[in-house]
Amino acid sequence: MIHSFLLFFLSFSGVRSLGVNYGQVGDNLPSPDKVLELLTSLKISKVRIYDTNPQILTSFANSNTELVVTIENEMLTQLLDPQQALQWVAIHIKPYFPAVRITGIAVGNEIFTGNDTVLMANLIPAMIAIHEALGELGLGSYIHVSTPTSLAVLEESFPPSAGSFKGEVSSYISQFLQFLSRTKAPFWINAYPYFAYKDNPDIISLDYALLNPMTYLVDPSTKLNYDNMLYAQVDAVIFGMARLGFDGIEVRVSETGWPSKGDLDEIGANSENAAIYNRNLLRRQLANEGTPLRPNSRLEVYLFALFNEDMKPGPTSERNYGLYHPDGTMAYNMGLSTSSASISLSSSATKDIEVADESW
């Protein structure tokens, strides 16, 4: 059977909890207005960017796209001063809102798993200063403040009920959770089953990492059934928070994805696995799934990433997480009709695409 005239990721139109990360570390990326055309054609209405690029903000005005913006790590020290934080919000947020639907500010990225203890100590005061600045400018009830955290912040992650934060950062995490609890903001986690599989391919099932339906792994303490690693990782964070005395804070996945290419030692990094991972994630989002610990709460997830970014440092995989090449062609076959599996970024990106039923 064939589902005709479906847009690539048509299901985004029915998946309100799935977004995408729009990185810009490349010298050949399309202009923001062309990116917006692509996002609109894909029915993607949630986007996270890694700065407050004024060109992107201007292009996204009146687009109905929800945007999470980022304060870069190197900016945090300046924002400890409430007046500097107020000025930052007045310059980078206030002029664009509400035409641009800014819903969140990510203060830094993966700071708790870095080696800079000064940056860790400055993080929460900077978040407080930004939150108070938003309130002073009348934006506090519209824009939440949080910080994306690597899963490496956990000391234990399996079984999920054993989830706990590393001792060396637990005091910072406790302050962070107090802030989230008080402001009703989410805990953002960058969760990549790919990394766990790459490091332990003889121990971790590829199906489990790729979110393929499989025989359940049972948590011995809770008796909850897990058929994929991503949900287990999220629940490990929830259990870790509970160990510090915090229940009820929402966890959102700020990044997850699978690379379509890698170096020889990057086991599992190939286009076939990337396509399977993203299809399975989309399928689960279509079903509005929650995790076994919170089955009635849809898990909000941001795919990493929209484009391959050719200037990213590190191993080959770092430059190959994108769903698309910068020219608008798909980075790998998602099970789409090959005659229509790309969208031009030089003209209006509104082409319909056929999807084979068996690929979904």
Side-chain angles (χ1 to χ4, degrees):
M1 293 177 59
I2 298 294
H3 288 300
S4 298
F5 306 112
L6 294 181
L7 284 167
F8 167 50
F9 276 154
L10 157 75
S11 315
F12 273 105
S13 63
V15 181
R16 301 188 183 279
S17 54
L18 185 59
V20 69
N21 286 277
Y22 168 20
Q24 304 153 59
V25 189
D27 60 4
N28 56 355
L29 297 175
S31 63
D33 60 324
K34 296 302 180 185
V35 172
L36 180 60
E37 289 182 6
L38 175 61
L39 293 168
T40 301
S41 75
L42 302 178
K43 313 287 187 176
I44 297 176
S45 61
K46 292 178 184 289
V47 176
R48 175 184 170 219
I49 60 175
Y50 292 84
D51 53 20
T52 52
N53 186 322
Q55 289 182 307
I56 294 177
L57 296 179
T58 300
S59 295
F60 279 49
N62 304 307
S63 67
N64 209 37
T65 300
E66 296 181 14
L67 202 63
V68 175
V69 301
T70 301
I71 298 174
E72 298 93 325
N73 290 3
E74 56 269 21
M75 285 289 298
L76 261 62
T77 303
Q78 302 174 41
L79 301 178
L80 296 177
D81 180 353
Q83 287 304 311
Q84 291 290 328
L86 183 63
Q87 183 179 17
W88 186 91
V89 173
I91 293 173
H92 296 278
I93 303 297
K94 180 70 172 177
Y96 301 100
F97 187 90
V100 181
R101 296 186 63 194
I102 300 171
T103 60
I105 298 175
V107 181
N109 188 53
E110 298 191 344
I111 288 175
F112 291 127
T113 50
N115 297 318
D116 192 334
T117 55
V118 173
L119 199 59
M120 290 184 202
N122 289 341
L123 176 60
I124 308 306
M127 292 175 67
I128 292 172
I130 291 294
H131 176 71
E132 291 179 349
L134 287 168
E136 190 169 339
L137 294 174
L139 305 176
S141 60
Y142 303 102
I143 302 173
H144 72 253
V145 177
S146 189
T147 187
T149 300
S150 166
L151 195 75
V153 77
L154 294 181
E155 183 69 46
E156 299 288 344
S157 61
F158 191 84
S161 61
S164 61
F165 292 99
K166 291 182 175 177
E168 59 267 31
V169 297
S170 60
S171 63
Y172 299 118
I173 293 292
S174 291
Q175 296 175 48
F176 175 48
L177 296 178
Q178 288 173 11
F179 173 83
L180 297 183
S181 180
R182 178 172 62 85
T183 62
K184 310 300 181 187
F187 188 112
W188 285 102
I189 189 72
N190 294 342
Y192 288 88
Y194 161 71
F195 290 135
Y197 175 75
K198 175 181 72 72
D199 293 339
N200 299 280
D202 295 330
I203 299 173
I204 294 174
S205 161
L206 181 58
D207 282 334
Y208 185 65
L210 289 175
L211 318 185
N212 276 328
M214 58 167 287
T215 303
Y216 290 118
L217 296 180
V218 180
D219 187 307
S221 296
T222 63
K223 307 305 179 186
L224 292 173
N225 298 321
Y226 291 87
D227 70 347
N228 73 88
M229 179 176 285
L230 180 64
Y231 290 0
Q233 291 176 334
V234 171
D235 279 356
V237 173
I238 298 172
F239 277 107
M241 292 192 295
R243 273 190 165 74
L244 294 178
F246 294 90
D247 293 304
I249 296 175
E250 180 185 1
V251 175
R252 298 179 183 175
V253 178
S254 40
E255 291 181 14
T256 193
W258 198 285
S260 60
K261 187 184 298 184
D263 296 321
L264 291 177
D265 61 346
E266 294 188 286
I267 298 172
N270 58 61
S271 58
E272 179 181 2
N273 287 341
I276 292 171
Y277 185 83
N278 287 322
R279 278 204 304 267
N280 283 336
L281 181 61
L282 177 59
R283 183 187 296 114
R284 290 175 181 277
Q285 288 281 294
L286 265 173
N288 291 321
E289 289 185 355
T291 67
L293 187 58
R294 293 180 176 174
N296 298 319
S297 299
R298 290 188 308 181
L299 179 63
E300 185 162 310
V301 177
Y302 282 68
L303 277 173
F304 187 86
L306 184 59
F307 294 110
N308 284 338
E309 299 168 69
D310 68 340
M311 295 178 66
K312 291 196 72 173
T316 297
S317 62
E318 286 295 315
R319 294 174 290 283
N320 288 278
Y321 275 91
L323 300 173
Y324 283 88
H325 295 296
D327 64 0
T329 59
M330 295 173 63
Y332 45 84
N333 188 348
M334 291 286 296
L336 305 177
S337 166
T338 55
S339 64
S340 55
S342 65
I343 295 179
S344 171
L345 293 186
S346 61
S347 60
S348 179
T350 56
K351 184 179 292 185
D352 284 341
I353 295 174
E354 294 183 348
V355 183
D357 180 68
E358 64 182 5
S359 69
W360 296 87

